[in-house]
Amino acid sequence: MQHYDIAIIGAGLAGSLAAIALARDGHRVALIGPRPAVADGRTTALMDQSIEYLKGLGLWDEIEPLTAPLVAIHIIDGTKRLLRAPPVNFRAAEVGLKAFGYNIPNAPFLEILEKREEGLTALERIAAPAMTFDIGEIEARVGLEDGRTITADLIVGADGRRSAVREAAGIEAFTWSYPQTAVVLNFGHELSHQEVSTEFHTESGPFTQVPLPGNRSSLVWVQKPRDAEATLKLPTDVLSRTIEDRMQSILGKVSAEGTPQSFPLSGMTARRFGKGRAALVGEAAHAFPPIGAQGLNLSLRDVMTLVDLIGRPTGGQLAADIGDRFDGRRRMDIVSRTASVDLLNRSLLSDFLPIQALRAMGLQFISSAGPLRGLLMREGIHPGSALRSIKDSLWEKIGRKRDEGLQH
């Protein structure tokens, strides 16, 4: 029976990145799960903190040619309501960055990760699905579809919203749904996007254009389920014109590419993010609508925390309480991000006039308040940085007053 330090269930982006990071540190890792049956047509906008982590893993040089930088984000209230928010523009230069992050197509991103996995001697890629789990105090056992059983000191669930690892660990999840479906596709356009992402807020949800290399962009169009079904059936020329109209022709003539895909929107958060010899990352731990480029960035912070918590190999068995410690370290970030995205999405859907007024006033305040803008942008890029900035500023003021007192 083969034993590993860590068994990772789920070979999507989050699971693959965790496997690469841990194997690079010298841990014996099994990455378990079949390859996707259908190529993922979505893209992922990774913020500066996540990009720096990819650079540390030695992946960025291969990934960068696929990407487009996001130098600015424009938010436009595209609703027809009485109380509408003003346009809000965020520029990376305001916080001293060349770009907030980069937009990356998921399918080729995953292919690059798979190639890197092949070159890591400490990493074994197992394509057979995991069927059974026994997570004990001494070790975790995984039964594979091909009849094999492996053991590990730690099992990491990266197996999505219906995580079998989460269920086996006895961790409940709180789930909810939205009356929304996301239609995703890529499109070409006549005018340059100038590396700007534009998010139109509509009554049914966000309509978000994100730059790709050249005169191309990706689109996440959140609609009512019935409207999404109709959109998927549109002829390409009609779909292209519809997108152009929705974008108010800011990119000129539009040409939709390929076949659109759709994803019903729902939310989920696990009651715990780790327990004993099990830890949950990515959508096994949290899931929410595609707003504000939070999804994979949050998942990468799961990976960063797990890798930091486990540390380098010591020759002994991994501690039996890693899952519990992981839960403590991830709780604040996950709960706060999930709540904020859920609140923003529900504010778009609400017909309740006071909610619309609060949303409009909030965006107006962000648009006009310089110091707050900077704090919010830094917090979006590097979570926790806003609080650290406030704390450091307070300590600096206390220090100055103390020095002034001593001089007198």
Side-chain angles (χ1 to χ4, degrees), residues 269-285:
T269 182
R271 301 291 186 180
R272 296 175 57 89
F273 308 113
K275 181 180 177 183
R277 293 193 177 276
L280 305 176
V281 302
E283 290 198 344

Side-chain angles (χ1 to χ4, degrees), residues 151 197 199 232 241 252 325 348 358 372 380:
T151 60
S197 174
E199 185 169 303
L232 294 175
R241 182 53 189 267
R325 287 188 283 147
L348 285 172
L358 285 172
L372 178 63

Side-chain angles (χ1 to χ4, degrees), residues 11-27:
L13 291 173
S16 296
L17 285 164
I20 290 168
L22 290 164
R24 274 173 54 92
D25 279 354
H27 294 285

Side-chain angles (χ1 to χ4, degrees), residues 9 11 52 131 147 164 166 170 172 205 208 220 229 243 246 251 285:
I9 313 301
E52 290 302 314
M131 303 301 291
R166 188 178 67 230
E172 296 181 353
T208 306
V220 179
E229 289 179 18
I243 294 169
R246 281 279 182 173
L251 295 177

Side-chain angles (χ1 to χ4, degrees), residues 9 130-136 141 155-175 268-275 278-281 283-285:
I9 313 301
M131 303 301 291
T132 62
F133 304 93
D134 181 8
I135 306 172
R141 292 190 173 213
I155 185 168
V156 177
D159 50 342
R161 299 182 186 216
R162 299 180 179 179
S163 172
V165 174
R166 188 178 67 230
E167 183 178 351
I171 298 174
E172 296 181 353
F174 176 59
T175 62
M268 184 279 297
T269 182
R271 301 291 186 180
R272 296 175 57 89
F273 308 113
K275 181 180 177 183
L280 305 176
V281 302
E283 290 198 344

Side-chain angles (χ1 to χ4, degrees), residues 6-329:
I6 303 143
I8 298 173
I9 313 301
L13 291 173
S16 296
L17 285 164
I20 290 168
L22 290 164
R24 274 173 54 92
D25 279 354
H27 294 285
R28 294 167 295 167
V29 179
L31 177 59
I32 302 169
R35 288 175 172 81
V38 179
D40 189 345
R42 293 172 294 180
T43 65
T44 296
L46 289 183
M47 296 296 103
D48 180 71
Q49 182 186 39
S50 299
I51 297 300
E52 290 302 314
Y53 194 66
L54 293 181
K55 290 178 180 178
L57 294 178
L59 293 164
W60 183 239
D61 287 345
E62 285 187 79
I63 294 170
E64 186 178 15
L66 304 172
T67 72
L70 309 179
V71 302
I73 298 172
H74 292 177
I75 300 175
I76 298 173
D77 191 331
T79 67
K80 298 178 181 178
R81 290 168 174 160
L82 177 63
L83 297 174
R84 297 175 61 189
V88 180
N89 301 320
F90 298 105
R91 303 200 71 85
E94 294 181 62
V95 288
L97 295 174
K98 291 181 178 179
F100 287 120
Y102 292 78
N103 193 32
I104 309 170
N106 287 3
F109 186 7
L110 188 57
E111 288 175 6
I112 288 171
L113 299 184
E114 289 174 347
K115 289 179 183 177
R116 181 57 57 92
E117 291 159 10
E118 294 172 0
L120 293 169
T121 56
L123 172 59
E124 182 177 353
R125 180 71 174 84
I126 300 175
M131 303 301 291
T132 62
F133 304 93
D134 181 8
I135 306 172
E137 293 184 8
I138 305 301
E139 64 182 12
R141 292 190 173 213
V142 181
L144 304 175
E145 188 182 56
D146 60 12
R148 287 183 292 164
T149 299
I150 67 165
T151 60
D153 294 347
L154 175 69
I155 185 168
V156 177
D159 50 342
R161 299 182 186 216
R162 299 180 179 179
S163 172
V165 174
R166 188 178 67 230
E167 183 178 351
I171 298 174
E172 296 181 353
F174 176 59
T175 62
W176 61 96
S177 61
Y178 301 97
Q180 298 167 296
T181 295
V183 174
V184 300
L185 58 93
N186 296 334
F187 64 95
H189 38 81
E190 183 182 15
L191 304 177
S192 171
H193 48 54
Q194 299 182 338
E195 300 172 344
V196 174
S197 174
T198 303
E199 185 169 303
F200 293 86
H201 287 182
T202 76
E203 290 89 348
S204 61
F207 175 100
T208 306
Q209 165 267 332
V210 190
L212 286 171
N215 280 16
R216 298 176 64 244
S217 293
S218 61
L219 176 69
V220 179
W221 185 359
V222 177
Q223 300 175 270
K224 295 177 181 178
R226 188 172 296 176
D227 292 339
E229 289 179 18
T231 298
L232 294 175
K233 296 175 182 176
L234 291 176
T236 302
D237 59 338
V238 177
L239 176 60
S240 299
R241 182 53 189 267
T242 303
I243 294 169
E244 181 183 338
D245 290 344
R246 281 279 182 173
M247 293 203 65
Q248 303 172 11
S249 296
I250 62 174
L251 295 177
K253 186 177 180 180
V254 163
S255 300
E257 301 174 357
T259 302
Q261 294 177 311
S262 66
F263 301 87
L265 295 192
S266 61
M268 184 279 297
T269 182
R271 301 291 186 180
R272 296 175 57 89
F273 308 113
K275 181 180 177 183
R277 293 193 177 276
L280 305 176
V281 302
E283 290 198 344
H286 46 77
F288 42 69
I291 295 176
Q294 294 298 312
L296 188 59
N297 290 284
L298 186 62
S299 299
L300 258 175
R301 294 200 294 277
D302 295 340
V303 173
M304 295 177 203
T305 301
L306 185 66
V307 172
D308 180 64
L309 188 61
I310 292 173
R312 298 277 181 171
T314 61
Q317 188 181 34
L318 295 178
D321 65 343
I322 284 181
D324 300 284
R325 287 188 283 147
F326 178 76
D327 172 65
R329 289 181 58 173

